[in-house]
């Protein structure tokens, strides 16, 4: 199993970036990214792959049912049911993101697994967020892939896997951050900007003044 240590910071820049979204979309976006964090926590805290797969299966089945019935008393599921599903992102679309996390439970973490993780976690997550923001831009999918791989690279203990994830992330993020991002999509653009800081040589720590200022510049200009 891939060992992913707990992050040293509590997604501070992610929280900041999501404040750039229109007010009407913020509750749904918060619920969507809370799901992503919950799935990541399952993988991070699971020692036995079979146990992890059982826990992910529970979430998969619970998400599938969101279109048909009210969820059990689980806060993330209830938030998704109240905000994300009514906005047009279906339970099956949310459940599909689990396939990306499942890729981390079945070593080795080779190029195929990294591709699956990037597409099924990152691309699907950003596609759902784009739907909530009512924006269409081919760069969003690429940004999601790069963001997911950059985040993964920070959590991996194996240097070879970490380097491979970082290299793929850098390429995707460079492509995604070409040109000006429209105002409605800048919350996602800011996530990509933040992720790019994490994959460059001598990366600045999260929350440093230069990083925060760069996110603010993206919010103002789209670049």
């Amino acid at each position: 199993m891939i060992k992913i240590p707990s992050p040293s910071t509590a997604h501070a820049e992610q929280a900041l970036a999501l404040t750039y979204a229109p007010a009407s979309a913020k509750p749904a976006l918060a619920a969507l990214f809370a799901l992503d964090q919950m799935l990541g926590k399952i993988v991070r805290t699971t020692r036995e792959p079979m146990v992890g797969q059982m826990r992910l299966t529970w979430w998969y089945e619970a998400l599938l049912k969101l279109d048909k019935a009210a969820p059990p008393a689980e806060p993330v599921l209830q938030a998704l049911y109240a905000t994300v599903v009514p906005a047009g992102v279906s339970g099956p679309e949310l459940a599909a993101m689990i396939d990306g996390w499942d890729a981390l439970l079945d070593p080795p973490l080779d190029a195929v697994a990294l591709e699956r993780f990037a597409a099924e976690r990152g691309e699907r997550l950003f596609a759902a967020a784009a739907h909530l923001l009512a924006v269409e831009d081919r760069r969003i999918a690429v940004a999601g892939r790069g963001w997911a791989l950059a985040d993964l690279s920070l959590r991996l203990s194996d240097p070879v896997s970490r380097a491979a994830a970082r290299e793929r992330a850098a390429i995707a993020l460079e492509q995604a951050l070409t040109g000006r991002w429209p105002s409605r999509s800048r919350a996602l653009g800011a996530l990509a900007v933040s992720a790019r800081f994490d994959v460059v040589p001598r990366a600045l720590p999260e929350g440093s003044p230069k990083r925060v200022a760069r996110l603010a510049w993206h919010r103002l200009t789209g670049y």
Side-chain angles (χ1 to χ4, degrees):
M1 186 184 73
I2 304 302
K3 296 181 179 180
I4 308 177
S6 299
S8 58
T9 54
H11 301 280
E13 289 183 1
Q14 176 174 304
L16 175 62
L18 293 180
T19 67
Y20 298 170
S24 60
K26 286 180 181 178
L29 283 176
L32 183 64
F33 278 85
L35 171 63
D36 180 71
Q37 291 179 22
M38 175 62 73
L39 299 177
K41 181 180 179 180
I42 289 172
V43 173
R44 189 174 65 245
T45 58
T46 297
R47 294 185 178 181
E48 295 295 330
M50 185 174 294
V51 174
Q53 288 167 350
M54 291 175 60
R55 295 172 69 189
L56 289 178
T57 297
W58 184 92
W59 275 90
Y60 184 86
E61 294 175 350
L63 291 167
L64 285 180
K65 297 175 183 177
L66 286 181
D67 291 356
K68 302 176 182 178
E74 202 294 320
V76 174
L77 288 174
Q78 291 184 331
L80 293 167
Y81 181 75
T83 62
V84 175
V85 173
V89 179
S90 71
E93 288 175 309
L94 296 171
M97 291 192 296
I98 291 177
D99 289 340
W101 290 105
D102 187 64
L104 303 185
L105 295 175
D106 188 18
L109 189 58
D110 55 15
V112 174
L114 288 175
E115 176 66 19
R116 179 181 167 195
F117 178 77
E120 302 300 330
R121 180 210 178 182
E123 186 171 336
R124 286 188 181 277
L125 177 65
F126 272 47
H131 181 89
L132 298 175
L133 293 166
V135 294
E136 292 185 10
D137 190 326
R138 62 177 181 80
R139 293 173 298 180
I140 290 175
V142 182
R145 298 167 75 92
W147 172 85
L149 288 169
D151 180 66
L152 179 63
S153 74
L154 297 177
R155 320 300 176 206
L156 292 171
S157 57
D158 174 56
V160 176
S161 299
R162 184 170 61 243
R166 183 176 296 166
E167 180 181 359
R168 288 170 175 264
I171 293 171
L173 293 167
E174 188 67 26
Q175 294 173 348
L177 292 171
T178 300
R180 181 175 179 270
W181 280 55
S183 58
R184 289 191 66 86
S185 63
R186 288 178 192 169
L188 301 179
L191 289 175
V193 169
S194 176
R196 186 166 63 176
F197 272 109
D198 292 327
V199 296
V200 297
R202 297 182 296 278
L204 295 171
E206 182 177 3
S208 66
K210 184 175 180 179
R211 285 178 62 137
V212 173
R214 180 65 183 86
L215 266 63
W217 178 251
H218 181 80
R219 181 184 189 181
L220 290 172
T221 68
Y223 290 103

